[in-house]
Amino acid sequence: MDKNRSFEIKVGLAEMLKGGVIMDVMNADQAKIAEDAGAVAVMALERIPALIRKEGGIARASDPQMIKDIQSTVSIPVMAKVRIGHFAEAQILEALEVDFIDESEVLTPADEHNHIWKHDYNVPFVCGCRNLGEALRRIGEGAALIRTKGEAGSGNIVEAVRHMRQVQSDMKKLTIMNQDELMAASKNMGAPFELVQQVANSGKLPVPNFAAGGIATPADASLMMQLGAETVFVGSGIFMSDDPSPRAKAIVDSVTYYKDSKKMVDVSMGLDSAMKGIDMSEIPEGERLQERGW
Amino acid sequence: MIGVLALQGDYSKHIEILQMLNFKTMEIRYPKELSLIEGLVIPGGESTTISDLMARSNFHSPIKTFAKKKPILGTCAGLIMMSKNLSDDRIKSLDILDISVDRNAYGRQIDSFIDQIEVSLNGKQNNVLAPFIRAPKINKVGKNVKILSYYKNEPVVVKQGHHLGLAFHPELVNTTLFHKYIFSEQFEISHAT
């Protein structure tokens, strides 16, 4: 398959995940709970972000055995994370045939200057962003799916909202620019010119645009969908709560019925406590996961 | 008006294809909305999720009733949902097409591919691009099912009565052929309604 065809197939899988919920899981049992609750995919990782935050240490790609156990337990796509720039971890995940690789700021970065050249892989990649420039740099490197970074493991939606609004507003600005302003825009946001032109013409990203980082309730999921997300990732929000299975189901419903406020009442009712969460002022600058990557 | 089941999946791509054909379209999230449409698309997506959401909203029986008189087009997960037999009890299918289906039969995402297929519609041969994404295989077809296309000896386009099932995703490559065939040519749904 030539390179363009291969990229189309990668984006194709991202299209199939739209209108769904991708859930972080740490073992096969959790993966089963996620699948039974209606998740469109699971993200296999050793420690969910809230635990990484609590326990500290270096966060690396997961044990292949754990990923294999999850692959043999569920029929939905299995994703897994690699450290930013750690292309050897990515090679291992590709050999494991994971369905999507997340080059993620949640793990400790392996390279402070370069992200992985993702066009070299047959497995699609998803990457986080805080603004349009960052999104287009990742797409330029071959990412087939973009998500907001938010602030993983915080249980606080404020950063995901900031990043989604920023991407949307950056895109709107491009659509009203004249042709002769686009080169300067490309320079200022540090994004490939061809992709800047494409967004200026279409008004949207050339790949699907999902939300992640701090989603803890059905209302959080609805908020992100209404702000333009096409699917949501829920990391710590499910398995750090007191009621993983009903909460997972409720968030799945909320992504389908996000515009129907009466239905949102039904799905939000009767859940136990959500994860506690952290105010952003309690996370010192320099310890924010979203600052990893460029 | 043509509806697209919008519980999960690439329903917005199908809406775009139907709009290219000048159909009025509607996203369907509640069984009662089926009474407003002349044809239905069940899109690609994750079949476990779609099946689950359909069960939670009691969609199965109203769609089966709808199918008696009106056409349904299913792609990939949609084909899985329309099948009679599945080798997977995670999914409760609709039994609209008399076929047996294996999910993810080509393998994982790394085995997904795009290739040309030949399909014969209304006596005309067409060459179309077909993206197969974690695609299902049809391993058995009943006697009332017509096979309109094969890919490497596997049936990939099947028709029974006024319903059409595809193992791949024409909507991802802007192919309008199948939507046009089932809704305009076979069923003559007017573009104005």
Side-chain angles (χ1 to χ4, degrees):
Chain A
M1 244 185 317
D2 73 37
K3 201 173 128 182
N4 289 338
R5 284 271 166 269
S6 156
F7 191 67
E8 264 184 295
I9 285 293
K10 294 176 186 175
V11 175
L13 180 59
E15 293 287 345
M16 295 312 137
L17 301 173
K18 281 185 178 175
V21 183
I22 300 159
M23 303 182 191
D24 277 8
V25 297
M26 294 182 285
N27 52 52
D29 290 343
Q30 291 185 349
K32 184 85 185 83
I33 292 173
E35 182 175 63
D36 289 346
V40 288
V42 290
M43 175 75 72
L45 73 175
E46 223 129 275
R47 293 181 290 167
I48 52 181
L51 293 177
I52 294 172
R53 197 178 277 291
K54 207 161 106 189
E55 294 166 7
I58 302 298
R60 308 180 179 94
S62 296
D63 174 9
Q65 185 61 52
M66 180 266 253
I67 295 172
K68 277 198 155 178
D69 289 346
I70 292 175
Q71 284 174 323
S72 62
T73 303
V74 297
S75 63
I76 52 179
V78 175
M79 306 184 170
K81 291 183 192 287
V82 298
R83 286 178 265 180
I84 289 171
H86 206 316
F87 54 84
E89 284 185 347
Q91 290 160 357
I92 293 170
L93 291 190
E94 178 166 64
L96 265 174
E97 303 191 353
V98 303
D99 297 294
F100 239 104
I101 297 175
D102 186 1
E103 187 184 22
S104 175
E105 69 283 2
V106 165
L107 305 185
T108 313
D111 188 326
E112 294 187 336
H113 300 287
N114 309 295
H115 284 250
I116 296 171
W117 183 249
K118 294 167 270 287
H119 286 295
D120 281 349
Y121 295 76
N122 290 317
V123 169
F125 277 72
V126 51
C127 289
C129 75
R130 286 165 300 174
N131 52 52
L132 183 61
E134 198 172 7
L136 296 182
R137 288 193 290 279
R138 298 295 85 79
I139 296 166
E141 293 156 357
L145 170 61
I146 288 297
R147 57 169 174 78
T148 58
K149 283 181 166 174
E151 185 60 26
S154 70
N156 187 341
I157 197 69
V158 66
E159 295 301 303
V161 169
R162 188 193 317 281
H163 301 157
M164 184 55 75
R165 283 205 185 267
Q166 186 66 49
V167 169
Q168 303 288 0
S169 129
D170 290 346
M171 289 197 289
K172 267 182 228 151
K173 280 180 205 148
L174 286 187
T175 61
I176 54 167
M177 281 185 188
N178 292 322
Q179 190 63 33
D180 56 10
E181 296 173 290
L182 293 179
M183 187 59 84
S186 156
K187 177 190 168 220
N188 292 338
M189 64 171 84
F193 179 64
E194 289 72 21
L195 293 176
V196 168
Q197 271 185 313
Q198 220 175 307
V199 174
N201 289 331
S202 70
K204 54 181 193 179
L205 287 181
V207 304
N209 182 14
F210 293 1
I215 294 155
T217 67
D220 287 347
S222 166
L223 176 66
M224 295 313 300
M225 293 297 286
Q226 293 187 59
L227 287 173
E230 294 169 303
T231 272
V232 302
F233 284 85
V234 185
S236 315
I238 289 170
F239 290 101
M240 287 301 279
S241 76
D242 293 341
D243 53 354
S245 178
R247 180 165 298 269
K249 276 195 185 128
I251 295 178
V252 168
D253 282 332
S254 72
V255 169
T256 299
Y257 298 102
Y258 68 95
K259 285 183 280 198
D260 179 345
S261 48
K262 285 206 177 103
K263 184 93 180 179
M264 287 299 299
V265 173
D266 292 344
V267 310
S268 305
M269 230 174 333
L271 296 173
D272 286 342
S273 301
M275 70 181 282
K276 184 164 173 269
I278 318 169
D279 190 81
M280 289 312 295
S281 62
E282 295 169 45
I283 311 174
E285 274 181 47
E287 283 181 29
R288 295 185 182 175
L289 300 176
Q290 59 179 280
E291 288 159 15
R292 295 167 165 182
W294 62 280
Chain B
M1 181 139 66
I2 311 288
V4 181
L5 192 67
L7 299 175
Q8 190 275 320
D10 71 337
Y11 50 84
S12 52
K13 287 276 169 195
H14 283 280
I15 300 255
E16 281 173 30
I17 298 289
L18 292 165
Q19 286 174 348
M20 282 182 209
L21 294 167
N22 293 320
F23 281 114
K24 286 194 175 158
T25 60
M26 179 176 181
E27 294 181 0
I28 303 293
R29 290 190 177 81
Y30 304 92
K32 61 173 192 250
E33 293 168 333
L34 292 169
S35 66
L36 305 172
I37 55 173
E38 303 300 311
L40 177 69
V41 176
I42 307 180
E46 275 308 308
S47 48
T48 49
T49 305
I50 294 174
S51 170
D52 215 18
L53 286 163
M54 275 177 55
R56 287 185 215 174
S57 294
N58 301 311
F59 255 112
H60 283 80
S61 146
I63 290 184
K64 281 177 158 183
T65 309
F66 179 89
K68 284 182 189 152
K69 295 202 170 140
K70 292 172 180 173
I72 301 183
L73 166 67
T75 64
C76 197
L79 170 85
I80 294 171
M81 287 313 300
M82 289 167 79
S83 69
K84 181 176 187 183
N85 293 308
L86 271 169
S87 51
D88 193 331
D89 57 12
R90 281 175 274 226
I91 289 159
K92 192 181 160 210
S93 64
L94 291 158
D95 188 8
I96 288 170
L97 296 173
D98 185 11
I99 56 172
S100 299
V101 171
D102 280 327
R103 297 177 60 215
N104 304 334
Y106 292 89
R108 308 196 69 88
Q109 170 62 14
I110 202 157
D111 306 302
S112 294
F113 61 95
I114 191 164
D115 210 344
Q116 295 281 343
I117 62 161
E118 274 188 20
V119 54
S120 162
L121 300 176
N122 294 332
K124 238 172 67 190
Q125 278 301 109
N126 302 277
N127 256 312
V128 296
L129 209 49
F132 288 81
I133 296 181
R134 288 169 46 92
K137 275 187 188 172
I138 300 167
N139 56 37
K140 233 166 85 190
V141 302
K143 62 178 189 324
N144 294 323
V145 177
K146 273 196 224 159
I147 299 172
L148 303 184
S149 175
Y150 288 90
Y151 179 73
K152 296 190 173 162
N153 301 318
E154 311 274 358
V156 292
V157 179
V158 292
K159 183 168 184 269
Q160 181 174 1
H162 45 252
H163 306 302
L164 191 66
L166 315 176
F168 55 92
H169 295 282
E171 75 280 8
L172 288 182
V173 284
N174 295 331
T175 298
T176 53
L177 187 72
F178 299 99
H179 296 71
K180 189 172 166 204
Y181 170 71
I182 200 72
F183 297 126
S184 299
E185 292 165 12
Q186 290 289 299
F187 223 72
E188 298 179 354
I189 294 173
S190 139
H191 295 261
T193 53

